Amino acid sequence: MRRVHVPSQLRSYTGGRAEVEADGDTLDAVLLDLDRRFPGFRFRVIDEQDRIRRHILLFVGSERSGELGAALPPGAEVHVIGALSGG
Amino acid sequence: MPLSLYVATRKGVWIASAAGSRRSFTLTGPSFLGQQCHHVVLDPRDRRTLLCASRQWHLGPTVFRSEDGGATWKEAEAPPRFPTGEPRGRAVDHVFWLTPGHASEPGVWYAGTSPQGLFRSEDGGRSWAPVSGFNDHPDQAAWVGSDKDQTPDGGKLHSVLVDPRDPAHLYLSMSGGGTFESRDRGAGWSPLNLGVAMDFAPPKEDGSEYTYGHDPHCVVLAPSRPDRLWQQNHCGLYRIDRPSDRWVRVGRNMPADVGDIGFPIVVHPRDPDTAWAFPMDGTNDWPRTPPGGRPAVFRTRDAGATWERRAEGFPAGQAWWTVRRQCLVGDTRDPVGLYFGTTSGQVWASDDEGESFRLLFGDLPQIHAISVAESA
């Protein structure tokens, strides 16, 4: 299990929790597990062609990642962040 | 029954309800504060179920569903989405349009998206499937064109119309792309654009007409004569009487200094010859604001042969808001009530078929859409 930080925009899926736990050795696996735990979560972050949505940033530790399939270091935390947009 | 206005804005949803007469509306909300909401529509078959097309600014598009008139909402289990791995790589950016299905098909809904896609639900909006007959039609990519052919925030599929006599007879329209018709519940589609101007393309060298690629802004069907459609296009105001396949530019009969450019069009629920348009300035830089800063509704009582200006209640000048394509609607009462929302967050109403208007609410966010219904 690894820790996932959830942005405010997605906390309606996590019962208001800013941090949750999920299984997975890749970002894709983590997001699929999050979707099992919190149905609907993944589609708000990843589109139907498996692209990270334009205004969403994914970090592994403090490194921004655009590779859903890349292996995650053991214990690395995942941050899902809503990028600067809106107004 | 209370009359309710469902106001979808750039930053949430509000509902305005009138318990008795239409003189007094009470505003409730917001729901989805901070989220872009493109359409909120009540199911006329149960008068209780509401669907909302929503997109949080950062997150993907979805549809929410309420069974209690908007008090509580639940997200669709399978929102509209293109098939993963489809050859054109399309992904829904936002759900733009919602249309309840035929009265004989409870639970059926249609959704139009950006980029242009048609989706269907058979379980009241809980799950959605692509209408492959349209989305995967071999000519669909040509109909839609390139990014240069789209509205600024992406092409839109809108004005999904269901023939009240036949649930298999459908129309839809696209900005850009044009208007299309299906007679087999969406399996096959044909363009329906003859007679419609396309001023943004050069004349074809062989003198023939373009059959697709047009820019309908809003298309409505006359409930009392379902063979009549009205269309407000990027290039004028039109009417068609099927089985003719040719639109007639009735906007030519508008005053020349006003023109016939605009976004919405509304047809009377019982009189197919009566319709209302809200012209916008389409000159030079296309400000798309009331011509001269003087807003006015134009009404025809004779199928578009003549148009009357109606502006009682509106500012006499210096009013520069826009009324978008989903923002002018009519109720089914007698006399008909008209309602519209502006880009500056105002909701206006008329309870005398457009003779006069009054401001209901003035301080909402930019309004994307209004729908009106007799609610349970």
Side-chain angles (χ1 to χ4, degrees):
Chain A
M1 299 288 275
R2 64 180 74 240
R3 182 172 296 176
V4 180
H5 298 265
V6 178
S8 60
Q9 297 91 343
L10 281 163
R11 290 178 197 160
S12 60
Y13 292 86
T14 60
R17 293 155 64 192
E19 293 179 11
V20 297
E21 292 198 321
D23 270 329
D25 295 330
T26 63
L27 279 175
D28 196 35
V30 167
L31 288 165
L32 286 169
D33 190 48
L34 284 171
D35 201 63
R36 279 189 287 273
R37 298 169 190 268
F38 310 111
F41 188 103
R42 186 177 186 275
F43 188 60
R44 304 306 295 276
V45 176
I46 307 294
D47 74 19
E48 58 265 58
Q49 307 310 336
D50 292 334
R51 297 176 293 229
I52 301 168
R53 293 195 182 277
R54 182 180 173 199
H55 298 293
I56 289 290
L57 300 176
L58 299 177
F59 284 78
V60 177
S62 58
E63 295 292 320
R64 190 187 294 190
S65 176
E67 288 295 322
L68 291 179
L72 301 180
E77 297 187 359
V78 171
H79 296 257
V80 181
I81 292 177
L84 294 171
S85 69
Chain B
M1 277 186 296
L3 187 78
S4 294
L5 306 177
Y6 303 99
V7 186
T9 81
R10 193 166 177 269
K11 297 191 176 182
V13 168
W14 282 260
I15 300 174
S17 294
S21 83
R22 294 171 291 185
R23 297 304 299 176
S24 176
F25 282 82
T26 301
L27 193 66
T28 58
S31 300
F32 310 109
L33 182 62
Q35 301 190 23
Q36 289 230 61
C37 297
H38 284 283
H39 216 184
V40 180
V41 179
L42 186 77
D43 190 335
R45 295 158 296 191
D46 67 7
R47 299 185 188 277
R48 184 174 301 277
T49 303
L50 273 172
L51 296 192
C52 171
S54 165
R55 181 189 164 154
Q56 205 281 341
W57 286 89
H58 300 75
L59 308 179
T62 194
V63 170
F64 285 91
R65 186 173 188 279
S66 174
E67 294 181 354
D68 52 16
T72 60
W73 295 86
K74 188 172 182 187
E75 187 179 359
E77 293 150 21
R81 69 183 89 186
F82 291 100
T84 299
E86 67 124 25
R88 290 162 63 189
R90 289 171 292 182
V92 174
D93 181 81
H94 56 278
V95 180
F96 184 73
W97 187 275
L98 295 165
T99 290
H102 192 270
S104 68
E105 297 183 326
V108 170
W109 285 77
Y110 293 94
T113 62
S114 174
Q116 296 94 323
L118 179 65
F119 297 82
R120 178 179 159 102
S121 172
E122 297 186 351
D123 57 8
R126 295 177 181 85
S127 64
W128 296 82
V131 177
S132 179
F134 183 77
N135 298 346
D136 304 325
H137 190 288
D139 295 331
Q140 206 261 8
W143 294 341
V144 167
S146 73
D147 285 347
K148 292 184 188 295
D149 300 304
Q150 313 308 329
T151 50
D153 61 341
K156 313 241 179 300
L157 192 150
H158 60 86
S159 303
V160 181
L161 306 174
V162 181
D163 189 331
R165 302 161 301 186
D166 177 6
H169 186 203
L170 308 172
Y171 299 95
L172 62 75
S173 293
M174 298 188 289
S175 287
T179 298
F180 295 79
E181 178 183 34
S182 173
R183 292 194 173 273
D184 51 12
R185 204 176 257 98
W189 293 86
S190 303
L192 185 64
N193 298 296
L194 294 180
V196 179
M198 226 166 94
D199 299 337
F200 44 85
K204 294 176 89 170
E205 290 183 354
D206 65 2
S208 65
E209 288 185 62
Y210 287 97
T211 55
Y212 58 83
H214 302 71
D215 187 6
H217 285 171
C218 180
V219 180
V220 294
L221 179 151
S224 57
R225 189 185 297 171
D227 282 329
R228 171 167 290 175
L229 307 182
W230 294 82
Q231 175 181 169
Q232 175 66 70
N233 189 282
H234 180 82
C235 303
L237 192 51
Y238 299 83
R239 195 197 74 222
I240 193 171
D241 289 291
R242 311 303 312 283
S244 170
D245 61 356
R246 179 164 294 276
W247 296 85
V248 176
R249 190 166 182 176
V250 292
R252 293 286 190 213
N253 304 319
M254 293 277 284
D257 61 342
V258 173
D260 64 344
I261 303 306
F263 292 104
I265 177 87
V266 171
V267 60
H268 194 288
R270 293 172 294 276
D271 175 8
D273 290 342
T274 295
W276 296 265
F278 211 122
M280 293 283 142
D281 188 340
T283 59
N284 295 351
D285 291 326
W286 287 75
R288 299 172 173 87
T289 49
R294 296 185 296 277
V297 166
F298 280 73
R299 180 179 65 196
T300 180
R301 295 282 198 191
D302 53 14
T306 60
W307 295 86
E308 331 167 71
R309 184 177 193 272
R310 286 292 174 267
E312 185 179 331
F314 292 150
Q318 295 293 359
W320 302 102
W321 30 258
T322 301
V323 181
R324 308 183 86 186
R325 74 185 79 204
Q326 294 163 290
C327 286
L328 173 64
V329 292
D331 66 26
T332 56
R333 294 189 177 182
D334 188 12
V336 172
L338 296 175
Y339 312 89
F340 71 89
T342 72
T343 49
S344 58
Q346 299 174 345
V347 179
W348 290 81
S350 166
D351 56 11
D352 54 11
E353 306 212 340
E355 283 296 317
S356 61
F357 286 83
R358 69 186 194 285
L359 182 65
L360 290 184
F361 306 104
D363 301 298
L364 296 177
Q366 177 178 320
I367 296 174
H368 284 332
I370 285 187
S371 65
V372 58
E374 306 281 351
S375 50

PDB file of all heavy atoms in Angstrom, chain A residues 8-24:
ATOM      1  N   SER A   8      -8.321  18.846  -3.485  1.00  0.00           N
ATOM      2  CA  SER A   8      -9.652  19.181  -2.972  1.00  0.00           C
ATOM      3  C   SER A   8     -10.738  18.845  -3.988  1.00  0.00           C
ATOM      4  O   SER A   8     -11.846  18.438  -3.610  1.00  0.00           O
ATOM      5  CB  SER A   8      -9.712  20.663  -2.596  1.00  0.00           C
ATOM      6  OG  SER A   8      -9.439  21.465  -3.736  1.00  0.00           O
ATOM      7  N   GLN A   9     -10.413  18.981  -5.285  1.00  0.00           N
ATOM      8  CA  GLN A   9     -11.438  18.762  -6.306  1.00  0.00           C
ATOM      9  C   GLN A   9     -11.920  17.312  -6.349  1.00  0.00           C
ATOM     10  O   GLN A   9     -12.972  17.023  -6.904  1.00  0.00           O
ATOM     11  CB  GLN A   9     -10.890  19.122  -7.695  1.00  0.00           C
ATOM     12  CG  GLN A   9     -10.510  20.584  -7.864  1.00  0.00           C
ATOM     13  CD  GLN A   9      -9.059  20.854  -7.508  1.00  0.00           C
ATOM     14  OE1 GLN A   9      -8.408  20.042  -6.854  1.00  0.00           O
ATOM     15  NE2 GLN A   9      -8.554  22.010  -7.907  1.00  0.00           N
ATOM     16  N   LEU A  10     -11.130  16.391  -5.796  1.00  0.00           N
ATOM     17  CA  LEU A  10     -11.492  14.969  -5.881  1.00  0.00           C
ATOM     18  C   LEU A  10     -11.915  14.381  -4.539  1.00  0.00           C
ATOM     19  O   LEU A  10     -12.157  13.179  -4.445  1.00  0.00           O
ATOM     20  CB  LEU A  10     -10.310  14.170  -6.445  1.00  0.00           C
ATOM     21  CG  LEU A  10     -10.146  14.252  -7.969  1.00  0.00           C
ATOM     22  CD1 LEU A  10      -8.754  13.804  -8.390  1.00  0.00           C
ATOM     23  CD2 LEU A  10     -11.201  13.409  -8.656  1.00  0.00           C
ATOM     24  N   ARG A  11     -12.012  15.223  -3.545  1.00  0.00           N
ATOM     25  CA  ARG A  11     -12.313  14.660  -2.224  1.00  0.00           C
ATOM     26  C   ARG A  11     -13.779  14.282  -2.063  1.00  0.00           C
ATOM     27  O   ARG A  11     -14.132  13.613  -1.096  1.00  0.00           O
ATOM     28  CB  ARG A  11     -11.853  15.634  -1.134  1.00  0.00           C
ATOM     29  CG  ARG A  11     -10.337  15.694  -1.077  1.00  0.00           C
ATOM     30  CD  ARG A  11      -9.812  16.671  -0.048  1.00  0.00           C
ATOM     31  NE  ARG A  11      -8.402  16.967  -0.347  1.00  0.00           N
ATOM     32  CZ  ARG A  11      -7.750  18.032   0.087  1.00  0.00           C
ATOM     33  NH1 ARG A  11      -8.375  18.915   0.866  1.00  0.00           N
ATOM     34  NH2 ARG A  11      -6.490  18.227  -0.236  1.00  0.00           N
ATOM     35  N   SER A  12     -14.609  14.685  -3.021  1.00  0.00           N
ATOM     36  CA  SER A  12     -15.994  14.200  -2.962  1.00  0.00           C
ATOM     37  C   SER A  12     -16.024  12.689  -3.203  1.00  0.00           C
ATOM     38  O   SER A  12     -16.986  12.014  -2.820  1.00  0.00           O
ATOM     39  CB  SER A  12     -16.858  14.918  -4.008  1.00  0.00           C
ATOM     40  OG  SER A  12     -16.362  14.677  -5.308  1.00  0.00           O
ATOM     41  N   TYR A  13     -14.970  12.165  -3.825  1.00  0.00           N
ATOM     42  CA  TYR A  13     -14.891  10.720  -4.065  1.00  0.00           C
ATOM     43  C   TYR A  13     -14.312   9.972  -2.869  1.00  0.00           C
ATOM     44  O   TYR A  13     -14.539   8.778  -2.722  1.00  0.00           O
ATOM     45  CB  TYR A  13     -14.020  10.422  -5.292  1.00  0.00           C
ATOM     46  CG  TYR A  13     -14.636  10.892  -6.587  1.00  0.00           C
ATOM     47  CD1 TYR A  13     -14.456  12.196  -7.024  1.00  0.00           C
ATOM     48  CD2 TYR A  13     -15.420  10.042  -7.350  1.00  0.00           C
ATOM     49  CE1 TYR A  13     -15.037  12.637  -8.198  1.00  0.00           C
ATOM     50  CE2 TYR A  13     -15.993  10.466  -8.523  1.00  0.00           C
ATOM     51  CZ  TYR A  13     -15.810  11.768  -8.945  1.00  0.00           C
ATOM     52  OH  TYR A  13     -16.391  12.202 -10.100  1.00  0.00           O
ATOM     53  N   THR A  14     -13.512  10.653  -2.048  1.00  0.00           N
ATOM     54  CA  THR A  14     -12.795   9.975  -0.966  1.00  0.00           C
ATOM     55  C   THR A  14     -13.413  10.262   0.392  1.00  0.00           C
ATOM     56  O   THR A  14     -12.747  10.102   1.413  1.00  0.00           O
ATOM     57  CB  THR A  14     -11.309  10.389  -0.961  1.00  0.00           C
ATOM     58  OG1 THR A  14     -11.226  11.809  -0.772  1.00  0.00           O
ATOM     59  CG2 THR A  14     -10.638  10.009  -2.261  1.00  0.00           C
ATOM     60  N   GLY A  15     -14.640  10.698   0.383  1.00  0.00           N
ATOM     61  CA  GLY A  15     -15.292  11.000   1.648  1.00  0.00           C
ATOM     62  C   GLY A  15     -14.645  12.164   2.362  1.00  0.00           C
ATOM     63  O   GLY A  15     -14.668  12.232   3.597  1.00  0.00           O
ATOM     64  N   GLY A  16     -14.051  13.058   1.597  1.00  0.00           N
ATOM     65  CA  GLY A  16     -13.438  14.242   2.179  1.00  0.00           C
ATOM     66  C   GLY A  16     -11.988  14.055   2.596  1.00  0.00           C
ATOM     67  O   GLY A  16     -11.359  14.993   3.082  1.00  0.00           O
ATOM     68  N   ARG A  17     -11.454  12.852   2.416  1.00  0.00           N
ATOM     69  CA  ARG A  17     -10.084  12.589   2.874  1.00  0.00           C
ATOM     70  C   ARG A  17      -9.060  13.147   1.892  1.00  0.00           C
ATOM     71  O   ARG A  17      -9.140  12.932   0.686  1.00  0.00           O
ATOM     72  CB  ARG A  17      -9.881  11.088   3.042  1.00  0.00           C
ATOM     73  CG  ARG A  17     -10.737  10.525   4.184  1.00  0.00           C
ATOM     74  CD  ARG A  17     -11.034   9.065   3.995  1.00  0.00           C
ATOM     75  NE  ARG A  17      -9.821   8.245   4.045  1.00  0.00           N
ATOM     76  CZ  ARG A  17      -9.778   6.973   3.676  1.00  0.00           C
ATOM     77  NH1 ARG A  17     -10.868   6.387   3.208  1.00  0.00           N
ATOM     78  NH2 ARG A  17      -8.663   6.295   3.763  1.00  0.00           N
ATOM     79  N   ALA A  18      -8.043  13.810   2.431  1.00  0.00           N
ATOM     80  CA  ALA A  18      -6.964  14.379   1.624  1.00  0.00           C
ATOM     81  C   ALA A  18      -5.870  13.356   1.347  1.00  0.00           C
ATOM     82  O   ALA A  18      -5.064  13.530   0.440  1.00  0.00           O
ATOM     83  CB  ALA A  18      -6.373  15.596   2.324  1.00  0.00           C
ATOM     84  N   GLU A  19      -5.833  12.315   2.161  1.00  0.00           N
ATOM     85  CA  GLU A  19      -4.849  11.243   1.957  1.00  0.00           C
ATOM     86  C   GLU A  19      -5.570   9.909   2.024  1.00  0.00           C
ATOM     87  O   GLU A  19      -6.383   9.674   2.922  1.00  0.00           O
ATOM     88  CB  GLU A  19      -3.770  11.275   3.036  1.00  0.00           C
ATOM     89  CG  GLU A  19      -2.871  12.495   2.968  1.00  0.00           C
ATOM     90  CD  GLU A  19      -1.827  12.476   4.093  1.00  0.00           C
ATOM     91  OE1 GLU A  19      -1.686  11.426   4.756  1.00  0.00           O
ATOM     92  OE2 GLU A  19      -1.187  13.509   4.282  1.00  0.00           O
ATOM     93  N   VAL A  20      -5.266   9.057   1.056  1.00  0.00           N
ATOM     94  CA  VAL A  20      -5.830   7.714   1.065  1.00  0.00           C
ATOM     95  C   VAL A  20      -4.708   6.734   0.746  1.00  0.00           C
ATOM     96  O   VAL A  20      -3.582   7.139   0.399  1.00  0.00           O
ATOM     97  CB  VAL A  20      -6.969   7.564   0.030  1.00  0.00           C
ATOM     98  CG1 VAL A  20      -8.126   8.497   0.362  1.00  0.00           C
ATOM     99  CG2 VAL A  20      -6.463   7.832  -1.379  1.00  0.00           C
ATOM    100  N   GLU A  21      -4.990   5.457   0.847  1.00  0.00           N
ATOM    101  CA  GLU A  21      -3.996   4.441   0.502  1.00  0.00           C
ATOM    102  C   GLU A  21      -4.487   3.638  -0.694  1.00  0.00           C
ATOM    103  O   GLU A  21      -5.698   3.433  -0.870  1.00  0.00           O
ATOM    104  CB  GLU A  21      -3.746   3.521   1.693  1.00  0.00           C
ATOM    105  CG  GLU A  21      -3.045   4.242   2.835  1.00  0.00           C
ATOM    106  CD  GLU A  21      -2.413   3.262   3.797  1.00  0.00           C
ATOM    107  OE1 GLU A  21      -3.056   2.224   4.051  1.00  0.00           O
ATOM    108  OE2 GLU A  21      -1.296   3.527   4.277  1.00  0.00           O
ATOM    109  N   ALA A  22      -3.528   3.224  -1.517  1.00  0.00           N
ATOM    110  CA  ALA A  22      -3.887   2.405  -2.683  1.00  0.00           C
ATOM    111  C   ALA A  22      -2.739   1.461  -2.991  1.00  0.00           C
ATOM    112  O   ALA A  22      -1.579   1.747  -2.683  1.00  0.00           O
ATOM    113  CB  ALA A  22      -4.193   3.288  -3.886  1.00  0.00           C
ATOM    114  N   ASP A  23      -3.092   0.361  -3.637  1.00  0.00           N
ATOM    115  CA  ASP A  23      -2.098  -0.613  -4.088  1.00  0.00           C
ATOM    116  C   ASP A  23      -1.682  -0.306  -5.513  1.00  0.00           C
ATOM    117  O   ASP A  23      -2.473   0.231  -6.291  1.00  0.00           O
ATOM    118  CB  ASP A  23      -2.706  -2.025  -4.060  1.00  0.00           C
ATOM    119  CG  ASP A  23      -2.496  -2.699  -2.723  1.00  0.00           C
ATOM    120  OD1 ASP A  23      -1.465  -2.402  -2.085  1.00  0.00           O
ATOM    121  OD2 ASP A  23      -3.366  -3.496  -2.332  1.00  0.00           O
ATOM    122  N   GLY A  24      -0.448  -0.707  -5.858  1.00  0.00           N
ATOM    123  CA  GLY A  24      -0.038  -0.613  -7.257  1.00  0.00           C
ATOM    124  C   GLY A  24       1.431  -0.299  -7.397  1.00  0.00           C
ATOM    125  O   GLY A  24       1.978   0.505  -6.631  1.00  0.00           O
TER     126      GLY A  24
END
